């Protein structure tokens, strides 16, 4: 189990940031990802493996339609 | 429906005129407003006082102040005292920073009965100011159709009778642009405000503000859509407003510190150039970039806001609209807007209605229009949406209200509240394109069931209950209006903060005050009531500021500067906030900071709340919302997202084993409605209002808007 934006999400072995965002259907183009407080740049999403029990922030950077 | 330029030119008959020397703009202000009384055919200049500038800043602030002075607590939208006020703010008209050419329009609304304001592009506002007028006040009612012409080059204002035998706004704009331009090149110096036959026939008429697009060689239009401003315009027998100004230089505002404005502009132009293609793609697809996103996040209104997504959503996705929009053309609605999001479809052949078979240029559709005229009707056909968008615009009816109210009608039809007998044979099921398009034509032409539909949701609910025996509680739940205004096109069910963003908005549920869905529902950044209340203070105040200045909101947060993501308050886009402080100081020579920026808005925002009170609204009971905006009204809605809703109930400690859907819906409703009340308590507290939503005297005093007439209104409610 990991926490994404404070909510529990099922963990998968070897789960990358890219996979997590796909799983949550987070398709918005302006997302900031932090894993255990550390910023993970967009270029690293495909390779960065999220550790089990991690706290992830996937912050959608928009305050308005 | 054709009208010739020659006919227009020869039929011009001047009813009143005024010669004037255009004021030299000083640090963003002309210092004068233009007052026109249509009943008396009287045209007069008015001095803009220092108090106006200090307290009300400009734009919407000026509109509210003038309107307050013009009306009494008993004035109705169709009384002659009601005014339409149009004003750009002090920053309005600069060409160095994107999104700086907006006009703000204020009037008493036919659908809400209170104050409505709308922020619209096109060249009218800046040209009006550079012609010497900070605002235009239109009062009274003419007894015949009239056109007001402001020639900023010659220093002449005329009120004229002109034969314009058409109810098609795009033709009115085109023909007046040609008739008033002195040459082909001069067309760019003309802007027309007009509406169409739908504004004569419905309460949801809007205004089109034009500009001439020299690359396409056509007149383009942006809409002041919300709340029936076009209906007021036609009630005054205004056919059009025309302004002409040819002296645009980029320094017409005579700013105090041009370099400051330029530096901020260069920075953001670079950002747009560098990042737009990987961020929102505003230059490629405009706000329709949200179509796919909203469908993916269950936020796209589908079938009268029942659902937030649909498998067929991909047929009207962002990519589909990219393929429809003509690319690589500058699409700014004011000079210098490098975000240039006003996309258009060129050479679109219409399949229905009075212009069937003609090829036209269609502005948009923007996200709101595509959701309103598509998914919310259960229609997933981009060509249908483009055609419906064209007709809404040329009939002069608000796309958002049209979308939301036809969606309401469709649900009533499916529930058996309406039938073919009542609708004159129209089978208004969700997804029925032919019937929906026919209803749109009926709205625009004042025919058939369109006459009832054109009353908008609040009045329709009454008719359906009283005449067709519908359950008024159910209509209240599914009729997506609050304060008498139809909801704009986002699903707020899963975001309490956004429920407040819609419900607490001064003019009614339009998203321009606050859009907090991602911060709240997805990011979980504002978990407590206090957090939400803080967001529902800051963002509405910050966004109000655009309306005081003549600015567009989009370049604030639809482009993100490098490094923004590292910042604590990334959602506020702090670097862009500083840009706004700089361009304001650069234009006006003042020295405000970001706190004073918010105070400027607070003054006008609270004044508007008191204005609502003065007209008999503006209290807690008026901030109530339909339950469809808060949660599932019907079993089909609940069951379509059962896992989510069941999970939420379990988290709240309910033992749902053995509970029926109806029982679950009941407890969920109680919980959600309680949460909304608690949210309102927290927001009122944060805003310095009483528990009934009335601004406290100390709040008014601290803001310097404790004028005797304002205090008198408030005292009655304390
Ligand atoms: S961002 Fe779009 S709507 Fe705003 S001013 Fe620019 S072109 Fe117009």
């Amino acid at each position: 189990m990991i926490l994404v934006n404070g909510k529990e999400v099922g963990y998968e072995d070897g789960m990358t940031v890219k996979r997590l965002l796909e799983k949550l259907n987070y398709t918005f183009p302006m997302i900031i990802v932090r894993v255990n407080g550390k910023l993970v740049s967009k270029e690293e999403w495909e390779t960065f493996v999220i550790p089990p029990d991690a706290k992830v922030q996937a912050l959608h950077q928009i305050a308005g339609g | 429906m054709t009208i010739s330029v020659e006919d227009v030119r020869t039929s011009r008959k001047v009813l009143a005129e005024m010669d004037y020397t255009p004021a030299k703009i000083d640090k963003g202000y002309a210092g004068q407003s233009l007052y026109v009384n249509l009943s008396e055919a009287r045209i007069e200049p008015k001095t803009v006082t220092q108090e106006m500038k200090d307290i009300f800043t400009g734009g919407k602030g000026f509109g509210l102040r003038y309107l307050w002075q013009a009306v009494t607590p008993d004035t109705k939208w169709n009384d002659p005292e009601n005014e339409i006020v149009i004003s750009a703010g002090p920053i309005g008209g600069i060409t160095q920073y994107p999104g700086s050419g907006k006009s703000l329009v204020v009037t008493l609304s036919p659908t809400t009965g209170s104050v409505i304001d709308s922020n619209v592009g096109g060249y009218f506002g800046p040209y009006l100011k550079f012609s010497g007028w900070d605002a235009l006040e239109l009062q009274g009612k003419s007894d015949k159709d009239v056109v007001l012409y402001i020639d900023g080059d010659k220093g002449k204002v005329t009120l004229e009778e002109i034969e314009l035998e058409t109810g098609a706004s795009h033709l009115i704009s085109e023909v007046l642009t040609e008739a008033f331009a002195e040459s082909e090149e001069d067309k760019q110096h003309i802007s027309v405000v007009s509406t169409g036959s739908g504004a004569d026939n419905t309460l949801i008429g809007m205004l089109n503000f034009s500009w001439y697009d020299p690359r396409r060689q056509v007149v383009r239009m942006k809409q002041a859509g919300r709340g029936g401003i076009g209906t007021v315009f036609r009630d005054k027998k205004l056919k059009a407003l025309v302004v002409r100004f040819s002296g645009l230089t980029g320094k017409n505002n005579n700013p105090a510190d041009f370099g400051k404005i330029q530096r901020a502009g260069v920075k953001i132009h670079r950002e747009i150039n560098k990042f737009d293609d990987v961020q929102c793609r505003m230059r490629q697809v405009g706000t329709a970039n949200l179509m796919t996103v909203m469908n993916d996040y269950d936020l796209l209104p589908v079938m009268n806001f029942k659902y937030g997504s649909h498998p067929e959503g991909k047929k009207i996705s962002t990519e589909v609209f990219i393929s429809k929009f003509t690319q690589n053309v500058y699409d700014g609605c004011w000079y210098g807007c490098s975000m240039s999001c006003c996309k258009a479809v060129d050479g679109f052949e219409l399949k229905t209605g009075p212009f069937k078979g003609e090829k036209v240029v269609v502005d948009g559709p923007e996200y709101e229009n595509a959701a309103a005229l598509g998914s919310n009707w259960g229609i997933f056909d981009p060509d249908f949406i483009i055609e419906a968008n064209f007709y809404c615009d040329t009939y002069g009816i608000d796309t958002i209200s049209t979308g939301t109210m036809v969606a309401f009608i469709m649900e009533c039809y499916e529930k058996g509240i309406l039938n073919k007998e009542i609708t004159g044979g129209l089978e208004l099921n969700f997804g029925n394109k032919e019937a929906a398009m026919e209803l749109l034509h009926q709205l625009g032409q004042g025919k058939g069931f369109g006459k009832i539909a054109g009353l908008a949701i609040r009045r329709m609910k009454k008719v359906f209950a009283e005449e067709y025996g519908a359950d008024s509680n159910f209509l209240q739940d599914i009729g997506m209006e609050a304060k008498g205004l139809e909801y704009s096109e986002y699903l707020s069910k899963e975001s309490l903060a956004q429920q407040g963003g819609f419900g607490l908005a001064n003019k009614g549920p339009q998203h321009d005050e606050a859009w907090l869905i991602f911060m709240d529902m997805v990011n979980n950044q504002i978990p407590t009531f206090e957090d939400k209340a803080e967001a529902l203070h800051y963002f509405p105040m910050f966004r109000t500021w655009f309306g005081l200045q003549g600015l567009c909101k989009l370049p604030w947060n639809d482009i993100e500067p490098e490094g923004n993501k590292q910042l604590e308050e990334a959602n506020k886009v702090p670097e862009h906030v500083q840009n706004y402080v700089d361009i304001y100081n650069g234009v006006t020579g003042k020295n405000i900071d970001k706190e004073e920026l918010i105070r400027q808005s607070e003054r006008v925002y609270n004044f508007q709340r008191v204005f609502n009170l003065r007209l008999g609204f503006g209290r807690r009971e008026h901030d109530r919302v339909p339950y469809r905006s808060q949660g599932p009204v019907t079993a089909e809605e609940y069951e379509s997202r059962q896992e989510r809703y069941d999970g939420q109930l379990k988290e709240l400690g309910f033992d749902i084993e053995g509970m029926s859907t109806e029982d679950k819906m009941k407890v969920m409703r109680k919980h959600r409605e309680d949460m909304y009340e608690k949210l309102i308590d927290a927001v009122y507290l944060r805003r310095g209002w009483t528990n009934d939503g009335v601004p406290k005297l100390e709040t008014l005093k601290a803001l310097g808007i404790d004028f005797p007439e304002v205090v008198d209104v408030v005292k009655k409610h304390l």
Side-chain angles (χ1 to χ4, degrees):
Chain A
M1 201 65 84
I2 54 173
L3 278 184
V4 182
N5 296 341
K7 291 185 187 135
E8 290 182 352
V9 174
Y11 183 70
E12 295 166 10
D13 272 347
M15 188 186 236
T16 61
V17 170
K18 183 166 181 270
R19 171 72 199 121
L20 173 69
L21 298 182
E22 275 167 11
K23 184 177 161 144
L24 295 170
N25 204 20
Y26 280 2
T27 55
F28 185 61
M30 291 156 77
I31 301 179
I32 299 167
V33 178
R34 288 201 187 91
V35 178
N36 292 329
K38 184 181 168 293
L39 192 73
V40 182
S41 70
K42 214 169 191 168
E43 296 74 49
E44 297 172 278
W45 286 0
E46 210 164 339
T47 51
F48 191 98
V49 177
I50 300 169
D53 305 318
K55 278 193 183 150
V56 180
Q57 280 182 301
L59 299 181
H60 291 56
Q61 288 309 294
I62 190 175
Chain B
M1 277 217 212
T2 50
I3 31 175
S4 80
V5 175
E6 223 21 67
D7 287 349
V8 168
R9 286 194 176 131
T10 53
S11 72
R12 288 177 65 178
K13 191 173 138 202
V14 174
L15 304 173
E17 61 186 330
M18 183 187 80
D19 291 308
Y20 71 100
T21 306
K24 190 166 161 22
I25 312 296
D26 182 30
K27 302 188 191 77
Y29 292 100
Q32 292 217 302
S33 294
L34 179 62
Y35 172 83
V36 179
N37 190 305
L38 297 157
S39 305
E40 301 163 15
R42 181 156 55 87
I43 307 170
E44 280 169 5
K46 254 190 190 177
T47 302
V48 172
T49 61
Q50 195 57 41
E51 180 202 70
M52 283 287 283
K53 296 189 219 170
D54 291 345
I55 305 281
F56 297 96
T57 306
K60 170 175 153 172
F62 279 14
L64 289 168
R65 185 57 175 154
Y66 283 137
L67 188 62
W68 176 292
Q69 288 163 341
V71 302
T72 72
D74 301 319
T75 303
K76 301 283 172 273
W77 69 274
N78 53 357
D79 286 334
E81 307 90 91
N82 188 16
E83 288 192 346
I84 297 173
V85 189
I86 303 175
S87 172
I91 296 177
I94 64 168
T95 56
Q96 296 74 31
Y97 200 87
S100 304
K102 295 283 185 171
S103 306
L104 279 299
V105 195
V106 175
T107 192
L108 294 188
S109 157
T111 61
T112 72
S114 195
V115 184
I116 192 84
D117 57 275
S118 215
N119 176 326
V120 55
Y123 294 0
F124 192 85
Y127 282 0
L128 175 74
K129 180 161 70 169
F130 300 148
S131 296
W133 309 110
D134 284 326
L136 168 63
E137 267 183 280
L138 300 158
Q139 196 179 34
K141 280 190 195 193
S142 170
D143 53 8
K144 45 183 127 20
D145 281 351
V146 287
V147 172
L148 183 77
Y149 178 45
I150 302 158
D151 190 328
D153 283 4
K154 297 201 175 112
K156 195 176 189 73
V157 183
T158 46
L159 189 65
E160 309 185 12
E161 232 184 299
I162 299 178
E163 271 174 34
L164 284 166
E165 295 301 318
T166 177
S169 191
H170 75 292
L171 293 184
I172 295 171
S173 294
E174 266 168 41
V175 79
L176 291 179
T177 301
E178 281 211 25
F180 283 89
E182 293 183 354
S183 64
E184 184 61 28
E185 202 216 326
D186 198 33
K187 288 181 183 171
Q188 292 172 68
H189 309 138
I190 305 275
S191 177
V192 178
V193 177
S194 68
T195 185
S197 56
D200 293 276
N201 295 314
T202 71
L203 297 180
I204 57 157
M206 57 70 166
L207 293 179
N208 285 302
F209 280 55
S210 83
W211 77 98
Y212 185 73
D213 180 339
R215 290 171 187 84
R216 292 186 165 90
Q217 300 193 325
V218 292
V219 172
R220 310 274 309 274
M221 303 190 298
K222 290 287 269 184
Q223 294 72 39
R226 308 306 330 264
I229 299 172
T231 303
V232 180
F233 193 82
R234 287 300 297 137
D235 184 64
K236 295 186 173 304
K237 292 248 189 259
L238 277 163
K239 200 72 182 169
L241 313 170
V242 184
V243 67
R244 176 167 172 266
F245 176 76
S246 69
L248 190 74
T249 64
K251 283 192 179 176
N252 299 79
N253 267 315
N254 200 11
D257 185 344
F258 183 68
K260 214 174 218 167
I261 304 166
Q262 234 181 356
R263 283 191 292 279
V266 167
K267 253 197 311 176
I268 193 163
H269 290 315
R270 279 207 192 113
E271 285 164 22
I272 292 171
N273 202 23
K274 202 165 163 194
F275 302 123
D276 180 52
D277 286 346
V278 289
Q279 293 183 7
C280 291
R281 296 189 289 173
M282 297 297 281
R283 296 174 302 177
Q284 230 188 336
V285 67
T287 57
N289 76 78
L290 292 171
M291 288 306 287
T292 302
V293 175
M294 294 301 136
N295 196 42
D296 286 349
Y297 285 77
D298 212 23
L299 296 169
L300 179 74
V302 173
M303 300 179 188
N304 196 27
F305 298 84
K306 277 198 267 188
Y307 315 112
S309 64
H310 195 280
E312 286 195 64
K314 56 181 176 301
K315 292 188 185 159
I316 52 170
S317 69
T318 303
E319 300 310 318
V320 171
F321 282 106
I322 287 177
S323 71
K324 297 278 173 190
F325 292 149
T326 312
Q327 298 296 330
N328 303 318
V329 193
Y330 171 72
D331 278 313
C333 71
W334 174 240
Y335 290 96
C337 190
S338 48
M339 192 155 244
S340 57
C341 75
C342 302
K343 302 311 296 179
V345 182
D346 288 288
F348 183 81
E349 188 172 332
L350 296 162
K351 296 189 191 76
T352 68
F355 299 101
K356 185 177 172 179
E358 284 190 28
K359 285 196 173 167
V360 291
V361 178
V362 186
D363 286 285
E366 299 185 30
Y367 164 75
E368 295 287 335
N369 308 348
L373 309 172
S375 58
N376 220 359
W377 296 356
I379 293 173
F380 300 92
D381 175 344
D383 288 338
F384 174 91
I385 291 169
I386 293 167
E387 177 137 354
N389 197 158
F390 171 81
Y391 274 114
C392 280
D393 287 353
T394 200
Y395 284 138
I397 54 175
D398 175 25
T399 48
I400 297 176
S401 280
T402 301
T404 299
M405 68 193 205
V406 171
F408 166 71
I409 289 168
M410 287 175 153
E411 187 165 354
C412 289
Y413 189 86
E414 296 219 329
K415 288 276 181 244
I417 293 165
L418 302 175
N419 54 41
K420 266 167 79 173
E421 220 172 282
I422 295 170
T423 64
L426 297 178
E427 291 181 33
L428 286 160
N429 297 90
F430 287 116
N432 187 340
K433 288 191 260 186
E434 286 71 30
M437 190 62 81
E438 179 53 30
L439 180 56
L440 202 164
H441 289 306
Q442 289 186 358
L443 276 165
Q445 296 168 18
K447 291 183 180 160
F449 186 65
K451 283 191 228 155
I452 292 177
L455 297 173
I457 293 178
R458 183 160 282 197
R459 286 177 174 83
M460 265 194 282
K461 287 194 294 196
K462 206 162 176 288
V463 173
F464 294 0
E466 285 173 5
E467 293 184 21
Y468 312 138
D471 172 359
S472 49
N473 290 331
F474 180 68
L475 296 179
Q476 172 56 27
D477 282 351
I478 66 160
M480 286 293 282
E481 61 87 12
K483 299 188 172 83
L485 187 73
E486 283 70 29
Y487 268 71
S488 66
E489 308 299 320
Y490 298 95
L491 224 69
S492 53
K493 283 179 192 169
E494 300 310 313
S495 167
L496 179 61
Q498 188 58 31
Q499 290 163 28
F502 279 135
L504 293 160
N506 259 333
K507 68 172 163 236
Q510 168 76 355
H511 59 280
D512 62 351
E513 276 198 13
W515 196 94
L516 301 170
I517 303 183
F518 280 165
M519 272 181 88
D520 187 34
M521 175 186 108
V522 185
N523 297 348
N524 202 13
Q525 284 173 299
I526 43 175
T528 66
F529 287 110
E530 288 67 32
D531 296 334
K532 291 184 208 302
E534 184 54 40
L536 280 168
H537 182 70
Y538 178 81
F539 288 104
M541 297 312 142
F542 181 69
R543 284 164 167 251
T544 292
W545 197 77
F546 295 118
L548 309 184
Q549 304 294 347
L551 291 171
C552 172
K553 165 259 158 197
L554 299 173
W556 159 52
N557 73 347
D558 282 62
I559 186 77
E560 192 187 314
E562 207 158 19
N564 190 58
K565 48 173 84 61
Q566 326 278 1
L567 303 174
E568 180 78 2
E569 294 192 304
N571 273 303
K572 293 183 179 174
V573 200
E575 193 178 318
H576 288 176
V577 175
Q578 188 56 45
N579 285 353
Y580 288 117
V581 168
D582 288 345
I583 59 173
Y584 177 81
N585 288 339
V587 171
T588 62
K590 293 195 176 168
N591 188 24
I592 67 160
D593 54 18
K594 61 181 191 215
E595 282 77 30
E596 177 57 20
L597 180 156
I598 295 295
R599 268 193 299 279
Q600 288 185 334
S601 292
E602 284 177 318
R603 288 182 197 112
V604 174
Y605 194 92
N606 279 275
F607 184 78
Q608 189 169 355
R609 183 77 177 183
V610 179
F611 204 159
N612 283 341
L613 275 171
R614 183 179 180 228
L615 295 166
F617 308 94
R619 286 179 298 114
R620 191 175 186 116
E621 64 176 290
H622 304 106
D623 290 335
R624 296 230 164 87
V625 293
Y627 186 61
R628 177 60 60 76
S629 73
Q630 297 179 302
V633 173
T634 59
E636 58 180 332
E637 283 163 86
Y638 188 100
E639 284 160 6
S640 75
R641 272 97 182 128
Q642 179 151 3
E643 202 185 317
R644 175 195 296 162
Y645 293 138
D646 280 357
Q648 289 175 2
L649 289 179
K650 280 188 212 154
E651 251 178 57
L652 289 168
F654 288 101
D655 176 8
I656 60 167
E657 211 55 45
M659 274 172 90
S660 67
T661 300
E662 273 65 29
D663 288 344
K664 288 191 255 183
M665 281 165 54
K666 217 181 264 173
V667 291
M668 171 159 280
R669 180 170 187 151
K670 165 114 192 35
H671 172 73
R672 289 190 174 202
E673 288 180 338
D674 285 351
M675 298 285 278
Y676 184 72
E677 294 303 321
K678 285 186 183 139
L679 176 76
I680 291 188
D681 288 341
V683 176
Y684 287 172
L685 187 70
R686 173 62 188 89
R687 289 184 180 173
W689 297 356
T690 69
N691 206 33
D692 196 25
V694 178
K696 292 179 187 166
L697 287 178
E698 59 258 38
T699 306
L700 302 178
K701 204 162 187 245
L703 294 170
I705 54 166
D706 54 335
F707 313 121
E709 76 257 41
V710 171
V711 170
D712 278 353
V713 171
V714 166
K715 272 192 172 159
K716 288 185 196 133
H717 300 281
L718 294 176

